[in-house]
Coordinates of all heavy atoms in Angstrom, one line a residue:
A256 N -11.8 -6.3 -9.7 CA -11.9 -6.1 -11.2 C -10.6 -6.5 -11.7 O -9.6 -6.6 -11.0 CB -12.1 -4.6 -11.5
H257 N -10.5 -6.9 -13.0 CA -9.2 -7.3 -13.6 C -8.5 -6.1 -14.3 O -9.2 -5.4 -15.0 CB -9.4 -8.5 -14.5 CG -10.1 -8.3 -15.8 ND1 -9.4 -8.0 -16.9 CD2 -11.4 -8.5 -16.1 CE1 -10.3 -7.9 -17.9 NE2 -11.5 -8.2 -17.4
D259 N -5.7 -6.5 -16.2 CA -5.1 -6.9 -17.5 C -6.1 -6.9 -18.6 O -7.3 -7.0 -18.4 CB -4.5 -8.3 -17.4 CG -5.6 -9.4 -17.2 OD1 -6.5 -9.3 -16.4 OD2 -5.6 -10.4 -18.0
G260 N -5.6 -6.7 -19.8 CA -6.5 -6.7 -21.0 C -5.9 -7.3 -22.2 O -4.8 -7.8 -22.1
I261 N -6.7 -7.5 -23.2 CA -6.2 -8.0 -24.5 C -6.9 -7.3 -25.6 O -7.7 -6.4 -25.4 CB -6.6 -9.5 -24.6 CG1 -8.1 -9.8 -24.3 CG2 -5.7 -10.4 -23.7 CD1 -8.5 -11.2 -24.6
N268 N -12.7 -0.2 -21.5 CA -13.9 -0.7 -20.9 C -13.7 -2.1 -20.2 O -14.2 -2.3 -19.2 CB -15.0 -0.9 -22.0 CG -16.3 -1.3 -21.5 OD1 -16.6 -1.1 -20.3 ND2 -17.2 -1.8 -22.4
D269 N -12.8 -2.9 -20.9 CA -12.6 -4.3 -20.4 C -11.1 -4.4 -20.0 O -10.3 -4.9 -20.8 CB -13.0 -5.3 -21.5 CG -12.9 -6.7 -21.0 OD1 -12.7 -7.0 -19.8 OD2 -13.0 -7.6 -21.9
D270 N -10.7 -4.1 -18.8 CA -11.6 -3.7 -17.7 C -11.0 -2.5 -17.0 O -11.0 -2.4 -15.8 CB -11.7 -4.9 -16.8 CG -12.9 -4.8 -15.8 OD1 -13.7 -3.9 -16.1 OD2 -12.9 -5.4 -14.8
G271 N -10.6 -1.5 -17.8 CA -10.2 -0.2 -17.2 C -11.3 0.4 -16.4 O -11.1 0.9 -15.3
E303 N -6.8 -12.2 -15.8 CA -8.2 -12.6 -16.0 C -8.4 -13.2 -17.4 O -9.0 -14.2 -17.6 CB -9.2 -11.5 -15.8 CG -10.6 -11.9 -15.7 CD -11.4 -11.9 -17.0 OE1 -10.8 -11.5 -18.1 OE2 -12.6 -12.3 -17.0
E304 N -7.8 -12.5 -18.3 CA -8.0 -12.8 -19.7 C -7.4 -14.1 -20.2 O -7.7 -14.6 -21.2 CB -7.5 -11.7 -20.6 CG -8.2 -10.3 -20.4 CD -9.6 -10.3 -20.9 OE1 -10.2 -11.3 -21.3 OE2 -10.2 -9.2 -20.9
L307 N -8.9 -16.5 -15.8 CA -9.1 -16.2 -14.3 C -8.0 -16.7 -13.5 O -8.2 -17.0 -12.3 CB -10.5 -16.9 -13.8 CG -11.7 -16.8 -14.8 CD1 -12.8 -17.6 -14.2 CD2 -12.0 -15.4 -15.2
Q342 N -17.5 -8.7 -8.3 CA -16.6 -8.5 -9.4 C -17.2 -7.4 -10.4 O -18.5 -7.4 -10.5 CB -16.4 -9.8 -10.1 CG -15.7 -9.7 -11.5 CD -14.2 -9.4 -11.3 OE1 -13.7 -9.3 -10.2 NE2 -13.5 -9.4 -12.4
H343 N -16.4 -6.7 -11.0 CA -16.8 -5.6 -11.9 C -16.1 -5.8 -13.3 O -14.9 -5.8 -13.3 CB -16.5 -4.3 -11.4 CG -17.1 -4.0 -10.0 ND1 -16.6 -4.5 -8.9 CD2 -18.3 -3.4 -9.7 CE1 -17.4 -4.2 -7.9 NE2 -18.4 -3.6 -8.3
D344 N -16.8 -6.0 -14.3 CA -16.2 -6.4 -15.6 C -16.9 -5.8 -16.8 O -17.9 -6.4 -17.3 CB -16.1 -7.9 -15.7 CG -15.1 -8.4 -16.6 OD1 -14.5 -7.6 -17.4 OD2 -14.8 -9.6 -16.7
M345 N -16.5 -4.6 -17.3 CA -17.1 -3.9 -18.4 C -18.4 -3.2 -18.1 O -19.4 -3.9 -17.7 CB -17.4 -4.8 -19.6 CG -16.2 -5.7 -20.1 SD -16.7 -7.0 -21.2 CE -17.1 -6.2 -22.7
N411 N -17.8 -16.6 -16.6 CA -16.5 -16.1 -17.2 C -16.0 -14.8 -16.6 O -15.7 -13.8 -17.3 CB -16.8 -15.8 -18.7 CG -16.9 -17.1 -19.5 OD1 -17.9 -17.8 -19.4 ND2 -15.9 -17.4 -20.3
T412 N -15.9 -14.8 -15.3 CA -15.3 -13.6 -14.7 C -14.7 -14.0 -13.3 O -14.9 -15.1 -12.9 CB -16.3 -12.4 -14.6 OG1 -15.6 -11.2 -14.2 CG2 -17.4 -12.7 -13.5
D413 N -14.0 -13.1 -12.7 CA -13.2 -13.5 -11.5 C -14.0 -13.8 -10.3 O -13.4 -14.3 -9.3 CB -12.2 -12.4 -11.2 CG -11.1 -12.2 -12.2 OD1 -10.4 -13.3 -12.5 OD2 -10.8 -11.1 -12.6
R427 N -22.0 -5.9 -14.7 CA -21.6 -5.7 -16.1 C -22.6 -4.8 -16.8 O -23.7 -4.6 -16.4 CB -21.7 -7.0 -16.8 CG -20.5 -7.9 -16.6 CD -20.6 -9.1 -17.5 NE -19.7 -10.2 -17.2 CZ -18.5 -10.3 -17.8 NH1 -18.0 -9.4 -18.6 NH2 -17.7 -11.3 -17.4
R431 N -23.4 -11.4 -19.5 CA -22.2 -11.9 -20.1 C -22.5 -13.0 -21.2 O -22.0 -13.0 -22.3 CB -21.3 -12.5 -19.1 CG -20.1 -13.3 -19.6 CD -19.2 -12.5 -20.5 NE -18.1 -13.4 -21.0 CZ -18.2 -14.2 -22.0 NH1 -19.4 -14.2 -22.7 NH2 -17.2 -14.9 -22.4
W443 N -15.5 -5.3 -27.7 CA -15.0 -6.3 -26.8 C -13.8 -7.0 -27.3 O -13.9 -7.7 -28.4 CB -16.2 -7.2 -26.4 CG -15.9 -8.3 -25.4 CD1 -15.2 -8.2 -24.3 CD2 -16.3 -9.7 -25.5 NE1 -15.2 -9.3 -23.6 CE2 -15.8 -10.3 -24.3 CE3 -17.0 -10.4 -26.4 CZ2 -16.1 -11.6 -24.0 CZ3 -17.3 -11.7 -26.1 CH2 -16.8 -12.3 -25.0
H444 N -12.7 -6.9 -26.7 CA -11.4 -7.5 -27.1 C -10.9 -7.1 -28.5 O -10.3 -7.8 -29.2 CB -11.5 -9.0 -27.0 CG -11.8 -9.6 -25.6 ND1 -12.4 -10.8 -25.4 CD2 -11.6 -9.0 -24.4 CE1 -12.5 -11.0 -24.1 NE2 -12.0 -9.9 -23.5
D448 N -11.4 -0.8 -28.3 CA -11.6 -0.6 -26.9 C -10.6 0.4 -26.3 O -9.7 0.1 -25.6 CB -11.6 -1.9 -26.1 CG -12.0 -1.7 -24.6 OD1 -12.3 -0.6 -24.2 OD2 -12.0 -2.8 -23.9
Ligands
ZN118 ZN1 -13.2 -8.5 -18.7

Side-chain angles (χ1 to χ4, degrees):
H257 69 89
D259 68 309
I261 49 173
N268 186 21
D269 186 12
D270 193 18
E303 192 270 356
E304 298 289 8
L307 321 179
Q342 170 73 359
H343 302 82
D344 201 352
M345 306 165 72
N411 288 71
T412 194
D413 289 310
R427 280 187 190 269
R431 168 63 182 81
W443 183 41
H444 298 157
D448 186 359

